[in-house]
Amino acid sequence: MALKQNQENNNYPARDNAIEWEKRSINYGASWKSVLFKGMPDLANEHFHSCHINFILECIKSNKDDIRILDIGCGYGRLSLPIIQKLPQAQIIGLDISANYVNLYKENTGRDAFVGTLESLPSEIGTFDYIIVVTVLMYLPKNNLKEVFPNLFSHLNKNGKIIIIEPAQSGIILQTGFGLAKLLHKDNSINTGGTCFSSTEIPNLVHDAGGIVIQEQRIPATTFFFLLIYLMTKTLPQNLTYIIFRSISFVDGLLKRTKLPTLWAFYLIERK
Ligand SMILES: C[S@@+](CC[C@H](N)C(=O)[O-])C[C@H]1O[C@@H](n2cnc3c(N)ncnc32)[C@H](O)[C@@H]1O
C-alpha cells in the first residue's frame, strides 16, 4: 500500500523506501553521495552541505547545557556531527528507517540512534528542544504527511522547535533542466525516489497542525548556478571553486528572504 501511494504521488518513485535506503547506505556509506546528490562531485555536495548546516546551526540557539535534539532520518550523521562539534553537551539522538545508517550514525557520532520511521515515532523516545528533519518528508507518501506535524509537535518541549529542509518545486526546473536529471540519477541500481513541495504545502501542513513557520529561507544563487556548480567542480582548481562558492553563499545570504526559486526550502517551526 505504501509503495502504491508512493508511486502515485512521487516525482521519482522509490521502489521501496526502506529497501532502497538500506542499499544506498551500504553502497555509499558515510559519504556526501550517500545522502546528497549521487551524481554530483564531492566538492559540489560539500557546498550544498554548507547551505544546510549553516541554517541548522543558526536555528539552534540555546543556553541550556542539556538541550535534547532528535535527528530524524539521520543517515550516517552528516548533520549531527557539526552540531555535536558546536554543542558537545547536547543530547542528540538519531533515528532512521535504515539499520545500516543507524549503525554508521552510532560509529560516526558516538551517540545513540534507533531504527524507526518518521511516521511512527515511539512515545518512549521522549520530548526534544529541537527536531531536525532534512530531506526526509520528501520520501513519505503525500497522504501520510497530514499526520507528521501533529506527531512531531507531541515530541517537542515547551518552546521547542522543528527544523525542516525539503526540496522545493520552484527549483526543480533549474535542477533537472538541461538534461542534468539524467546525470543526477545515473546510478540506476538504487532508486531512492523522492518528491518536492510547493511553497505553500509545508506551511499549510504546519498551520493545520496548530503550528507556525517562524523563519523561512531560500538559496536562490545556489539554485540559479546549479549547473555551473557542477561544471566548476569538474573543471576549475579547488581554490578558485571555494572562492566562487563563498561568493554564491554571500549572494544567497542577501536573497534568502525573497521568493526566488530555490533547490530546498528551509523552515524553522514552532507550536502556536
Ligand atoms: C536524503 S537522506 C538525508 C539524511 C540526513 N537527514 C541528511 O540530510 O544527511 C534521507 C534519509 O532519510 C531516511 N528515511 C527515509 N524515509 C524515512 C522514514 N520514513 N522515516 C525515517 N527515516 C527515513 C533514509 O534512510 C535516509 O537516511
Side-chain angles (χ1 to χ4, degrees), residues 72-86:
I72 298 182
C74 59
Y76 66 85
R78 172 178 80 94
L79 304 168
S80 288
L81 276 167
I83 300 172
I84 293 166
Q85 237 165 25
K86 189 181 169 195

Side-chain angles (χ1 to χ4, degrees), residues 17 157 177 185 208 217:
N17 195 27
N157 286 338
H185 293 97
D208 292 348
Q217 288 191 15

Side-chain angles (χ1 to χ4, degrees), residues 18-56:
I19 294 172
E20 293 302 310
W21 277 109
E22 195 65 3
K23 273 203 278 182
R24 188 154 165 179
S25 73
I26 291 163
N27 279 22
Y28 290 94
S31 70
W32 304 122
K33 286 186 172 67
S34 203
V35 291
L36 289 166
F37 294 111
K38 282 184 293 190
M40 274 284 185
D42 282 350
L43 207 55
N45 274 330
E46 196 180 328
H47 172 72
F48 301 126
H49 167 72
S50 304
C51 299
H52 291 179
I53 202 63
N54 289 345
F55 178 73
I56 293 170

Side-chain angles (χ1 to χ4, degrees), residues 70-73 93-97 114-128 131-133 136 147-156 162:
L70 176 62
D71 184 353
I72 298 182
I93 298 173
L95 180 136
D96 202 283
I97 201 167
F114 301 90
V115 178
T117 66
L118 170 58
E119 303 91 305
S120 49
L121 297 175
S123 56
E124 318 83 80
I125 204 160
T127 56
F128 297 87
I131 299 178
I132 298 169
V133 182
V136 184
E147 313 300 325
V148 166
F149 285 97
N151 195 7
L152 290 178
F153 285 140
S154 73
H155 287 276
L156 272 189
I162 301 170

Side-chain angles (χ1 to χ4, degrees), residues 126-131 148-163 205-215 268-272:
T127 56
F128 297 87
D129 299 294
Y130 291 93
I131 299 178
V148 166
F149 285 97
N151 195 7
L152 290 178
F153 285 140
S154 73
H155 287 276
L156 272 189
N157 286 338
K158 189 168 178 272
N159 300 324
K161 299 197 172 30
I162 301 170
I163 299 168
L205 288 165
V206 171
H207 177 266
D208 292 348
I212 180 166
V213 173
I214 53 175
Q215 213 188 114
L268 181 63
I269 292 161
E270 67 181 14
R271 241 184 333 226
K272 259 194 250 173

